[in-house]
Amino acid sequence: ADQIRVAIAGYGNLGRGVESAVAQNPDMQLVGVFSRRDPASVTLLDSNVPVYPMADIEQYQNEVDVMILCGGSKTDLPEQGPYLAQFFNTVDSFDTHAKVNEHHAALDEPARKSGKVALLSVGWDPGMFSLNRMFGETILPEGETYTFWGKGLSQGHSDAVRRVSGVKKGVQYTLPSEEAIARVRNGEQPELSTREKHVRECFVVLEDGADEEAVRNAIVTMPDYFEPFDTTVNFIDEATFAAEHSAMPHGGFVIRSGETGTQSKQTMEYSLALGSNPEFTASVLVAYARAVHKMASSGDVGAKTVFDVPPGLLSPKSPAQLRKDLL
Ligand SMILES: NC(=O)C1=CN([C@@H]2O[C@H](COP(=O)(O)OP(=O)(O)OC[C@H]3O[C@@H](n4cnc5c(N)ncnc54)[C@H](OP(=O)(O)O)[C@@H]3O)[C@@H](O)[C@H]2O)C=CC1
Ligand SMILES: N[C@@H](C[C@H]1CC(C(=O)O)=NO1)C(=O)O
């Protein structure tokens, strides 16, 4: 069968992850990478894949089955998503939780007009964790659901830090409260505020002449991303940053703690331990790109979330082969 032709819009951590994830899926072909930077300045993992200017992307609509959007959620995807949904079937990793419905609406209109599918908020949270939170509250309607992340590097929060004026380099680590986890794990079903579950720790290299207090304040008061949390900001030099903050591990778990009929205690849990947050997220994006291609090919249109995707479509296996894997 013909390979699914995918392309990457935006080449950062996620873009590199998609490039390597496509290479692990023989039914897919990476036809190109689109960047806002000068293509000559963008070095890919695979030198045989062309880099094109983002400005020319419309010209490639007949060469690409699914465009995988790897821009940042804070400012890139809200602009690139609706624009690209006019020309391509798309998948993005949009993770500004407070604005997901707004993004869904902003994608749905152009996608329906162009007869395309625009799948948003794919990854692990949102994405795989979203599915597992839904399974938990649906299967165990009497109970509580908890999500814990880290300790690890949040790419969405790191991207948001990097967008603050005066920040040259930045990362954000999410640290879960071990006490909160212990209370959940022994079935207390505690009421936990956002602040009681995680703290956020940033490491920043300042642009020359930038003001520490102004940058710290812009980060810790940032709505949605940092304001609801206790956040610390550490200012370090570039050498320390390169030596100590280049890896991007992360992970976490969703747990549903509930009761059934005879008051039996039931617990459902889904956990991830990620050596590379971006490479795992990219692997989820690529699997869902396969599903988007199938949905679009069967005439489906408009904005979708992972809740709208039949799980079997993710697989390169035929329905008959999947049935054989049922048990
Ligand atoms: N749903 C989920 O579970 C997850 C979602 N995410 C989302 O993925 C988003 C992207 O994360 P990530 O890839 O780490 O973000 P990056 O900061 O690495 O990249 C974002 C954009 O910045 C530009 N860029 C990258 N490197 C450079 C550079 N050296 N100089 C100038 N511009 C650069 C690229 O655009 P261009 O090539 O056009 O310049 C790129 O698309 C996050 O904002 C987060 O919201 C991430 C992980 C999990
Ligand atoms: N979207 C997150 C993925 C997880 C990690 C996270 C956090 O640490 O706050 N929230 O969701 C990311 O960008 O890494």
Short mmCIF file of all heavy atoms in Angstrom, two decimals, residues 95 124-125 149 153-157 174 200 250 277, ligand 2:
data_model
loop_
_atom_site.label_atom_id
_atom_site.label_comp_id
_atom_site.label_asym_id
_atom_site.label_seq_id
_atom_site.Cartn_x
_atom_site.Cartn_y
_atom_site.Cartn_z
N ASP A 95 -1.78 22.02 24.46
CA ASP A 95 -1.94 21.57 25.85
C ASP A 95 -2.22 22.71 26.83
O ASP A 95 -1.95 22.59 28.03
CB ASP A 95 -0.69 20.81 26.30
CG ASP A 95 0.53 21.72 26.44
OD1 ASP A 95 0.42 22.92 26.11
OD2 ASP A 95 1.57 21.22 26.88
N TRP A 124 0.52 13.02 25.70
CA TRP A 124 0.19 12.22 26.88
C TRP A 124 -0.70 12.98 27.86
O TRP A 124 -1.66 12.44 28.41
CB TRP A 124 1.43 11.62 27.55
CG TRP A 124 2.54 12.54 27.94
CD1 TRP A 124 3.38 13.22 27.09
CD2 TRP A 124 2.95 12.87 29.27
NE1 TRP A 124 4.30 13.94 27.83
CE2 TRP A 124 4.07 13.73 29.16
CE3 TRP A 124 2.52 12.50 30.54
CZ2 TRP A 124 4.73 14.23 30.27
CZ3 TRP A 124 3.15 13.01 31.65
CH2 TRP A 124 4.26 13.86 31.51
N ASP A 125 -0.50 14.24 28.04
CA ASP A 125 -1.45 15.05 28.80
C ASP A 125 -1.43 16.46 28.26
O ASP A 125 -0.52 17.21 28.56
CB ASP A 125 -1.13 15.04 30.31
CG ASP A 125 -2.35 15.46 31.12
OD1 ASP A 125 -3.39 15.83 30.50
OD2 ASP A 125 -2.30 15.42 32.34
N TRP A 149 2.17 14.49 37.80
CA TRP A 149 3.24 14.53 36.81
C TRP A 149 4.59 14.67 37.51
O TRP A 149 4.70 15.29 38.56
CB TRP A 149 3.08 15.75 35.89
CG TRP A 149 1.76 15.94 35.27
CD1 TRP A 149 1.18 15.16 34.31
CD2 TRP A 149 0.83 17.00 35.55
NE1 TRP A 149 -0.06 15.68 33.97
CE2 TRP A 149 -0.28 16.80 34.70
CE3 TRP A 149 0.86 18.10 36.41
CZ2 TRP A 149 -1.38 17.67 34.71
CZ3 TRP A 149 -0.23 18.97 36.43
CH2 TRP A 149 -1.33 18.74 35.58
N LEU A 153 10.48 17.38 33.12
CA LEU A 153 10.46 18.61 32.34
C LEU A 153 9.18 18.71 31.54
O LEU A 153 8.90 17.83 30.71
CB LEU A 153 11.66 18.65 31.39
CG LEU A 153 11.77 19.92 30.55
CD1 LEU A 153 13.21 20.35 30.37
CD2 LEU A 153 11.10 19.77 29.19
N SER A 154 8.37 19.75 31.84
CA SER A 154 7.17 20.00 31.05
C SER A 154 7.55 20.86 29.85
O SER A 154 8.11 21.95 29.99
CB SER A 154 6.11 20.75 31.87
OG SER A 154 5.10 21.23 31.00
N GLN A 155 7.27 20.36 28.66
CA GLN A 155 7.64 21.11 27.46
C GLN A 155 6.73 22.32 27.28
O GLN A 155 7.20 23.38 26.88
CB GLN A 155 7.56 20.22 26.22
CG GLN A 155 8.61 19.13 26.24
CD GLN A 155 8.47 18.24 25.07
OE1 GLN A 155 7.93 17.14 25.18
NE2 GLN A 155 8.89 18.71 23.93
N GLY A 156 5.45 22.16 27.57
CA GLY A 156 4.52 23.30 27.43
C GLY A 156 4.93 24.44 28.34
O GLY A 156 4.98 25.60 27.92
N HIS A 157 5.27 24.11 29.59
CA HIS A 157 5.66 25.15 30.54
C HIS A 157 7.04 25.71 30.19
O HIS A 157 7.30 26.91 30.36
CB HIS A 157 5.62 24.61 31.98
CG HIS A 157 4.24 24.26 32.43
ND1 HIS A 157 3.63 23.06 32.10
CD2 HIS A 157 3.33 24.96 33.13
CE1 HIS A 157 2.40 23.05 32.61
NE2 HIS A 157 2.19 24.18 33.23
N THR A 174 8.36 19.94 36.82
CA THR A 174 7.17 19.77 37.64
C THR A 174 7.48 18.75 38.72
O THR A 174 8.01 17.67 38.40
CB THR A 174 5.99 19.28 36.77
OG1 THR A 174 5.91 20.11 35.61
CG2 THR A 174 4.68 19.28 37.54
N ARG A 200 6.24 24.01 40.83
CA ARG A 200 6.92 24.18 39.54
C ARG A 200 8.24 24.91 39.79
O ARG A 200 8.28 25.91 40.53
CB ARG A 200 6.04 24.95 38.54
CG ARG A 200 4.77 24.19 38.22
CD ARG A 200 4.03 24.74 37.02
NE ARG A 200 2.81 23.96 36.74
CZ ARG A 200 2.81 22.80 36.10
NH1 ARG A 200 3.96 22.27 35.69
NH2 ARG A 200 1.68 22.12 35.92
N HIS A 250 10.42 12.86 31.78
CA HIS A 250 9.18 13.21 32.48
C HIS A 250 8.36 11.93 32.71
O HIS A 250 8.85 10.83 32.48
CB HIS A 250 8.38 14.26 31.70
CG HIS A 250 7.58 15.18 32.58
ND1 HIS A 250 7.30 14.90 33.88
CD2 HIS A 250 6.97 16.37 32.31
CE1 HIS A 250 6.56 15.88 34.39
NE2 HIS A 250 6.35 16.81 33.45
N ASN A 277 10.48 13.11 27.00
CA ASN A 277 9.11 13.63 26.87
C ASN A 277 8.81 13.92 25.39
O ASN A 277 7.81 13.40 24.87
CB ASN A 277 9.00 14.88 27.75
CG ASN A 277 7.61 15.50 27.76
OD1 ASN A 277 6.76 15.13 26.96
ND2 ASN A 277 7.40 16.43 28.65
N1 LIG B 2 1.73 18.88 28.21
C1 LIG B 2 2.83 18.49 29.08
C2 LIG B 2 2.69 17.00 29.39
C3 LIG B 2 2.25 16.85 30.84
C4 LIG B 2 3.35 17.35 31.79
C5 LIG B 2 2.64 18.37 32.58
C6 LIG B 2 3.29 19.14 33.67
O1 LIG B 2 4.44 18.81 33.99
O2 LIG B 2 2.60 20.08 34.17
N2 LIG B 2 1.41 18.51 32.16
O3 LIG B 2 1.11 17.68 31.16
C7 LIG B 2 4.18 18.87 28.44
O4 LIG B 2 4.17 19.82 27.65
O5 LIG B 2 5.21 18.28 28.78
#
